[in-house]
Amino acid sequence: MEVGFLGLGIMGKAMSMNLLKAGFKVTVWNRTLSKCEELVEHGASIGETPAAVIKKCKYTIAMLSDPAAALSVVFDKGGVLEEICSGKGYVDMSTVDATTSSQINEAITKKGGYFLEAPVSGSKKPAEDGQLVILAAGDKTLYEEAIPAFDVMGKKAFYLGEVGNGAKMKLVVNMIMGSMMNAFSEGLVLADRSGLNQQTLLDVLDLGAISNPMFRLKGPTMIEGNYPPAFPLKHQQKDMRLALALGDENAVSMPVAAASNEAFKTARSLGHGDSDFSAVHERTRDRRRF
């Protein structure tokens, strides 16, 4: 099975590498072409433009940073629309809002192609391990044809119906995650300022009803003040913003998410946008802000 892959950031690089290791023929593109070199060493080919990748491959996957990037790859010169046609499938695994997904779907299907949105739940390590959760919506036939690739990249794929539902589900998941991270950060700081051992707090949490992999993984590095980017904070804040917009559309009051979004914005202003999203902890433990 030959697939194209657009976007080789933290997630896209790991996902496309897993496809190569599983025996897929992969043609890659990235805005900074030098990022393709490691994939080429493992057998990938390079497409000079997104259009070139689409022309070569029956199926093309995109994993891009935000709605603007997702739209640019489709609509700009040398973009997907120049070569998409009947019989070709486009799977966008970027985290975007439902409106962006619908725009891309409409443009792809007008040219005769078929479209699936498939954002993922998971960050760098699950991407490397092929343990992502895939939230797909759109063309059911394309979903079924993409299952061999999904099985390599993820541990579970959900089909959620019409285009937009995958985007909405991902935003809800990331909104919950971002809100949890802020509460967790505040708890670590409160324990420390109260004279308690933060590692003991982690041990207690891990034995209780709110035990979860995120606290287990991020807690020790947060205590150290170390935030290697598995999921950049600037992307988490983007997802909080998009989730709040979804709340506005549906008249859902989201004060906890709104406060968490402000915390991520503050952390960005402190220069932590490219750090892991757990770097919101720096905003909480900065004594000048109490």
Side-chain angles (χ1 to χ4, degrees), residues 239-259:
D239 293 348
M240 297 300 291
R241 171 174 55 80
L242 294 176
L244 288 167
L246 184 62
D248 286 347
E249 291 173 24
N250 292 280
V252 176
S253 176
M254 296 164 60
V256 175

Side-chain angles (χ1 to χ4, degrees), residues 3-30 35-36 38-40 42-45 61 63 93 127-128 132 149 152-153:
V3 298
F5 207 104
L6 311 178
L8 300 176
I10 290 173
M11 299 293 287
K13 178 183 175 183
M15 293 159 71
S16 54
M17 186 70 77
N18 283 338
L19 291 172
L20 285 166
K21 290 177 179 177
F24 286 75
K25 294 181 179 179
V26 183
T27 299
V28 296
W29 171 87
N30 193 74
K35 289 190 175 182
C36 300
E38 186 176 349
L39 280 300
V40 171
H42 286 80
S45 302
I61 296 167
M63 188 60 167
M93 303 186 80
E128 291 173 341
L132 298 168
V152 169
M153 295 185 288

Side-chain angles (χ1 to χ4, degrees), residues 15-88:
M15 293 159 71
S16 54
M17 186 70 77
N18 283 338
L19 291 172
L20 285 166
K21 290 177 179 177
F24 286 75
K25 294 181 179 179
V26 183
T27 299
V28 296
W29 171 87
N30 193 74
R31 200 172 299 278
T32 304
L33 285 176
S34 61
K35 289 190 175 182
C36 300
E37 291 172 1
E38 186 176 349
L39 280 300
V40 171
E41 291 174 6
H42 286 80
S45 302
I46 295 179
E48 293 296 321
T49 63
V53 176
I54 293 286
K55 183 176 182 179
K56 182 178 179 183
C57 304
K58 181 177 180 181
Y59 306 103
T60 299
I61 296 167
M63 188 60 167
L64 304 159
S65 59
D66 55 29
L71 291 169
S72 172
V73 160
V74 173
F75 291 97
D76 284 0
K77 181 177 173 57
V80 168
L81 282 187
E82 291 186 8
E83 293 291 345
I84 199 76
C85 60
S86 178
K88 290 186 180 287

Side-chain angles (χ1 to χ4, degrees), residues 157-186:
F158 291 86
Y159 180 72
L160 302 174
E162 65 182 24
V163 168
N165 287 346
K168 292 173 186 176
M169 182 68 80
K170 175 62 190 294
L171 292 178
V172 171
V173 168
N174 275 21
M175 179 272 292
I176 295 170
M177 182 175 72
S179 298
M180 286 175 59
M181 177 54 76
N182 274 280
F184 181 46
S185 174
E186 290 176 7

Side-chain angles (χ1 to χ4, degrees), residues 102-263:
S102 295
Q103 280 183 263
I104 294 171
N105 175 57
E106 183 178 0
I108 296 290
T109 54
K110 275 186 177 179
K111 294 290 293 286
Y114 49 136
F115 176 76
L116 191 74
E117 61 173 358
V120 301
S121 180
S123 56
K124 181 180 180 181
K125 188 66 164 59
E128 291 173 341
D129 294 343
Q131 292 292 297
L132 298 168
V133 177
I134 297 167
L135 308 171
D139 191 290
K140 185 66 178 294
T141 299
L142 180 53
Y143 171 76
E144 292 169 351
E145 292 174 359
I147 287 294
F150 289 167
D151 285 346
V152 169
M153 295 185 288
K155 61 181 176 180
K156 175 71 174 178
F158 291 86
Y159 180 72
L160 302 174
E162 65 182 24
V163 168
N165 287 346
K168 292 173 186 176
M169 182 68 80
K170 175 62 190 294
L171 292 178
V172 171
V173 168
N174 275 21
M175 179 272 292
I176 295 170
M177 182 175 72
S179 298
M180 286 175 59
M181 177 54 76
N182 274 280
F184 181 46
S185 174
E186 290 176 7
L188 284 172
V189 172
L190 181 59
D192 184 51
R193 302 281 171 83
S194 300
L196 301 172
N197 182 280
Q198 291 173 297
Q199 182 57 54
T200 302
L201 171 62
L202 296 184
D203 294 340
V204 171
L205 290 174
D206 203 36
L207 293 170
I210 58 172
S211 172
N212 69 76
M214 183 175 77
F215 292 175
R216 197 175 304 125
L217 177 66
K218 304 293 185 183
T221 58
M222 291 168 70
I223 291 171
E224 296 170 1
N226 183 27
Y227 314 102
F231 178 40
L233 185 145
K234 62 186 178 185
H235 295 329
Q236 174 65 66
Q237 194 267 310
K238 174 262 297 181
D239 293 348
M240 297 300 291
R241 171 174 55 80
L242 294 176
L244 288 167
L246 184 62
D248 286 347
E249 291 173 24
N250 292 280
V252 176
S253 176
M254 296 164 60
V256 175
S260 296
N261 183 48
E262 291 303 316

